Amino acid sequence: MLKSNTDKATGFEKRFENIGTIVFENSTMASKAVAKEIADLIKVKQSQKQPCILGLATGSSPKGLYAELVRLHKEEGLSFKNVVSFNLDEYYPMEPDSINSYVRFMKEQLFNHVDILPENYNIPDGLLSKEAIAGYCDAYEAKIEALGGIDLQILGIGGNGHIGFNESGSLQNSKTRLVALDHITRVAASGDFSGLNNTPRTAITLGVKKIMEAKRVILMAWGEGKSNIIKASVEDTVTNLVPASYLQEHNNATFVLDNAAASKLTRVNSPWLVEKIVWTDRLIRKAVLNLALDLKKPILMLTDADYIENGMSDLLADSGPAYDINISIFNKLQNTITGWPGGKPNADDSKRPERAEPAKKRVLIFSPHPDDDIISMGGTFKRLQEQGHEVHVGYQTSGNIAVADDEALRFASFVCDYNDKFGIENTEASAIYKKAAKFLKNKKSSEIDTAEVRYIKGLIRKGEARATCHFVGIPDEQIHFMELPFYETGAIKKNPIGIADVKITSDLIEKIKPHQIYAAGDLADPHGTHKVCLDAIFEAVKQLKPKTFMNDCWVWLYRGAWQEWGIDEIEMAVPMGPDQVLEKRKGIFKHQSQKDGVVFQGNDSREFWQRAEDRNRETADIYHQLGLSHYAAMEAFVRWEY
């Protein structure tokens, strides 16, 4: 059985964590560990000639687990013939063969690849009449009870702390039932349904009571996007507002996390509050900056008493007084600020984030989607160009699934009208338009677009990206549309990163031989497009590392419209004045298909330009709050050492 970090704790961690937690380096390692526990349980039950009753979950979190279970079956002979499974939930209404059905998900991810008997897996029925649901749910629970209960329940966790579809407000004695889905849950799922309007409003879910009755519970969570709710579930009080917190009262539950999902736990985020630590430069910076922000004081106003009263007396004893520590951290933070992201020529660069030489650098900006460059680092992008660097942009994916259907029809119609106006043969264009219009008129929810529609949508985004580059001043020969194969499935679900993706990436790097690479460092969703694109860059850079030109190549990571680096992480902050903020906004406006209610809005109703401006302003305000100069906005970067 997995052993939690708190099993051996004698007081320190137990002050904060109210449930066993295990933190792995990544989700792959974590999934393999959970799969091993399940496999061991199945084998024990087989030796006892008993069925193994598993509670299973869907979503992105268990995908790696199911892949490992399939591997154990195919390569190591693990049999599932004695397994009886009960899935947590299903959208309602939902046809079992729908692309978003959990029946289809489970078959594709697990059941079709192992020897589980079809009569032994149970998934809530999304086609019931509403009148039949209550009786069906009672029978679902009765079947679990007749088998002696669930031996091991696998859970994920929603952004609001839901387990199954037991949303905020669900009671601990809640039964299996039809529930209304929280707005946060629907927004999180909207990407799978091509927008919020197409996302189901209800679902059938196993109740909290049955989850709590399971003999063993493992909750898995990956990615920085889950870190805040994990902290609330593990460290805060038990509340129906965060149903996952109920697991604190289970006698055999464990949270299995990757580093990113665990990043807000006190023992990870503020280890000096948990145990005696070795104070590294990074930890000192993090502790002092967090202290200043918590107390709402400029760095230079912190006192010895502030350190002592907030669990940092060890630091004061080692490196104090406070005045000396404050000065050191203030100077380091000040040195992150530069108006010369490509390095300032003929200047002392010993305390600057970038090198002065070569004065004119080759720069390669990787943009996962066709607008991430301008949204996330538009001010820096423009400044690099204005300061004379040779700036290239690599658009990693087409971004075609993020274009609304009516936009595609509008552009196809424009081509037909254009051809008519200028006497150009219009037969093929007209046929394509009519075919696309017919398809879109009858298109089912979440149905994959035809190749023609996908290509039209891709052309729209390509044109917008090119318009942005021209606005910044980048010539066509420095614009590179990579169209990485992993993305081009036509569906929300993408393929894993492949050899071809890495080769296209490494070929572009080798062609340009950049002194600087900028890449999207978003880690909120470990299965998201940004993370896959980043993995392709990381792998390409590692493969190219022996090349001589890579000795002069630095990699800077920016973040997208969803979040920003922590103040303690920032290594380069590029300030912007009010006029530069407006220029960045104009560049973002070139992406017309992403304005006014985009397909993938997320849980933020603001448009992308608003999110970017607010985030950049907030970063500048934090610097000012800490006692540094006040700018209108700042774009932040972290250097990746490879």
Side-chain angles (χ1 to χ4, degrees):
M1 182 181 292
L2 292 163
K3 292 293 183 181
S4 74
N5 306 78
T6 53
D7 285 343
K8 296 181 286 186
T10 57
F12 281 124
E13 291 172 13
K14 286 184 179 289
R15 282 189 299 160
F16 297 98
E17 295 175 18
N18 301 315
I19 191 169
T21 58
I22 308 177
V23 181
F24 289 87
E25 183 177 341
N26 54 55
S27 62
T28 300
M29 294 172 62
S31 296
K32 288 182 177 180
V34 176
K36 183 180 186 306
E37 178 168 338
I38 291 174
D40 290 345
L41 176 63
I42 292 172
K43 292 173 185 175
V44 168
K45 290 287 187 176
Q46 286 169 348
S47 68
Q48 297 171 345
K49 301 189 184 308
Q50 294 180 356
C52 180
I53 315 303
L54 298 179
L56 300 179
T58 51
S60 61
S61 297
K63 285 182 178 178
L65 166 64
Y66 296 150
E68 177 63 10
L69 288 174
V70 171
R71 188 196 69 79
L72 289 172
H73 169 70
K74 291 184 175 180
E75 297 182 12
E76 299 184 20
L78 176 66
S79 176
F80 288 75
K81 286 184 178 179
N82 72 318
V83 170
V84 179
S85 71
F86 291 87
N87 263 73
L88 279 167
D89 42 37
E90 175 62 288
Y91 290 112
Y92 180 85
M94 180 61 64
E95 296 180 358
D97 60 348
S98 167
I99 192 170
N100 291 310
S101 163
Y102 287 162
V103 174
R104 181 168 177 169
F105 176 95
M106 290 305 304
K107 286 182 177 180
E108 291 180 350
Q109 298 292 326
L110 180 64
F111 297 155
N112 287 351
H113 310 289
V114 297
D115 61 347
I116 188 171
L117 301 175
E119 61 268 25
N120 280 355
Y121 56 77
N122 302 271
I123 303 173
D125 187 348
L127 288 180
L128 296 166
S129 67
K130 279 200 173 180
E131 295 73 21
I133 291 176
Y136 175 86
C137 290
D138 288 344
Y140 201 78
E141 290 196 353
K143 189 171 183 179
I144 294 173
E145 290 169 7
L147 290 165
I150 294 171
D151 293 312
L152 192 157
Q153 175 68 59
I154 296 296
L155 297 174
I157 185 171
N160 61 354
H162 73 236
I163 47 177
F165 277 133
N166 294 286
E167 302 283 19
S168 297
S170 296
L171 300 179
Q172 196 161 346
N173 64 351
S174 61
K175 298 184 67 177
T176 302
R177 66 209 184 281
L178 180 70
V179 296
L181 298 178
D182 188 285
H183 177 71
I184 293 174
T185 300
R186 293 183 65 237
V187 166
S190 63
D192 294 334
F193 290 89
S194 298
L196 189 60
N197 290 339
N198 302 317
T199 305
R201 295 179 178 275
T202 55
I204 297 172
T205 186
L206 194 70
V208 176
K209 188 173 186 291
K210 271 287 167 278
I211 293 172
M212 294 295 289
E213 288 174 357
K215 300 177 183 70
R216 169 84 167 128
V217 177
I218 298 176
L219 186 149
M220 304 187 301
W222 324 132
E224 197 171 13
K226 296 292 177 70
S227 59
N228 285 318
I229 197 62
I230 287 296
K231 183 180 190 301
S233 302
V234 170
E235 296 189 2
D236 294 348
T237 57
V238 175
T239 171
N240 64 358
L241 297 179
V242 182
S245 67
Y246 289 141
L247 294 172
Q248 293 181 25
E249 298 181 353
H250 195 283
N251 62 9
N252 192 14
T254 302
F255 279 47
V256 176
L257 316 170
D258 65 0
N259 280 333
S263 61
K264 297 295 172 58
L265 293 176
T266 301
R267 64 181 161 96
V268 176
N269 192 45
S270 306
W272 53 89
L273 299 177
V274 175
E275 59 186 342
K276 187 172 178 59
I277 63 167
V278 176
W279 284 98
T280 63
D281 288 344
R282 184 171 291 277
L283 283 174
I284 293 172
R285 177 173 170 172
K286 183 173 188 175
V288 173
L289 293 178
N290 286 349
L291 178 63
L293 291 174
D294 288 344
L295 298 180
K296 295 181 170 54
K297 283 187 173 185
I299 299 168
L300 298 178
M301 294 292 288
L302 295 173
T303 66
D304 283 7
D306 291 331
Y307 281 73
I308 293 168
E309 292 168 6
N310 289 277
M312 295 164 58
S313 58
D314 285 355
L315 173 59
L316 202 62
D318 291 344
S319 307
Y323 178 84
D324 292 341
I325 302 172
N326 296 345
I327 287 287
S328 173
I329 298 303
F330 180 89
N331 288 338
K332 288 176 180 177
L333 189 62
Q334 185 167 254
N335 290 337
T336 64
I337 303 173
T338 180
W340 298 83
K344 187 173 183 179
N346 304 313
D348 177 10
D349 61 7
S350 58
K351 294 181 179 179
R352 292 179 176 274
E354 250 296 353
R355 307 147 290 172
E357 300 299 330
K360 304 300 179 185
K361 294 181 173 66
R362 289 183 300 279
V363 178
L364 174 55
I365 299 172
F366 281 110
S367 184
H369 300 99
D371 55 359
D372 288 312
D373 53 340
I374 193 69
I375 289 173
S376 302
M377 55 170 291
T380 304
F381 182 8
K382 205 163 191 303
R383 191 167 296 179
L384 286 164
Q385 169 66 14
E386 291 169 348
Q387 292 174 350
H389 302 287
E390 182 187 316
V391 182
H392 295 253
V393 185
Y395 293 105
Q396 293 171 279
T397 72
S398 68
N400 54 17
I401 63 169
V403 177
D405 293 343
D406 58 352
E407 281 286 292
L409 278 184
R410 185 166 70 89
F411 274 80
S413 176
F414 170 82
V415 171
C416 294
D417 291 344
Y418 180 95
N419 290 347
D420 280 342
K421 178 67 177 175
F422 294 103
I424 300 170
E425 171 56 42
N426 204 23
T427 305
E428 280 193 48
S430 180
I432 290 171
Y433 170 73
K434 289 177 182 177
K435 182 179 179 182
K438 181 179 179 181
F439 166 76
L440 293 175
K441 182 180 179 180
N442 300 298
K443 181 181 175 183
K444 295 181 180 178
S445 175
S446 301
E447 187 175 356
I448 296 173
D449 286 333
T450 61
E452 293 92 343
V453 171
R454 293 204 303 271
Y455 191 70
I456 292 168
K457 290 181 176 181
L459 283 177
I460 292 170
R461 301 216 66 186
K462 185 179 288 188
E464 292 170 345
R466 188 178 289 112
T468 296
C469 286
H470 292 168
F471 172 76
V472 172
I474 306 298
D476 284 341
E477 59 270 21
Q478 289 166 219
I479 307 171
H480 310 273
F481 295 102
M482 301 167 66
E483 297 185 351
L484 295 182
F486 87 88
Y487 184 90
E488 299 303 325
T489 64
I492 307 300
K493 180 183 176 183
K494 304 305 179 188
N495 291 325
I497 184 175
I499 296 173
D501 301 301
V502 176
K503 186 175 190 312
I504 291 169
T505 306
S506 61
D507 285 350
L508 183 59
I509 295 172
E510 190 160 19
K511 175 183 176 183
I512 295 169
K513 296 180 172 55
H515 301 97
Q516 281 188 327
I517 289 174
Y518 289 87
D522 288 310
L523 305 174
D525 179 2
H527 303 284
T529 297
H530 281 208
K531 181 62 167 61
V532 178
C533 286
L534 184 64
D535 287 342
I537 295 168
F538 282 174
E539 183 58 33
V541 167
K542 288 174 183 176
Q543 290 181 10
L544 291 170
K545 188 176 180 179
K547 303 278 186 177
T548 304
F549 75 88
M550 290 300 291
N551 294 332
D552 297 321
C553 181
W554 287 16
V555 178
W556 290 100
L557 304 180
Y558 62 84
R559 286 203 161 170
W562 312 97
Q563 63 187 78
E564 187 54 278
W565 296 108
I567 188 68
D568 58 290
E569 299 173 296
I570 297 172
E571 295 177 271
M572 180 165 69
V574 180
M576 294 185 286
D579 290 343
Q580 291 165 318
V581 172
L582 289 176
E583 283 293 291
K584 175 175 176 175
R585 184 190 300 178
K586 291 175 185 176
I588 296 174
F589 282 178
K590 300 298 180 184
H591 294 269
Q592 288 293 310
S593 71
Q594 302 304 295
K595 285 187 90 290
D596 304 322
V598 297
V599 175
F600 301 115
Q601 187 73 39
N603 59 1
D604 191 330
S605 61
R606 295 172 298 169
E607 292 195 27
F608 288 127
W609 68 269
Q610 293 171 313
R611 301 181 207 187
E613 287 186 16
D614 289 349
R615 191 192 69 221
N616 295 159
R617 183 180 61 253
E618 288 162 6
T619 301
D621 288 346
I622 291 173
Y623 269 77
H624 180 56
Q625 182 182 332
L626 290 169
L628 290 100
S629 298
H630 198 187
Y631 295 95
M634 280 181 163
E635 292 175 339
F637 303 87
V638 168
R639 187 179 167 199
W640 179 57
E641 305 277 357
Y642 57 90

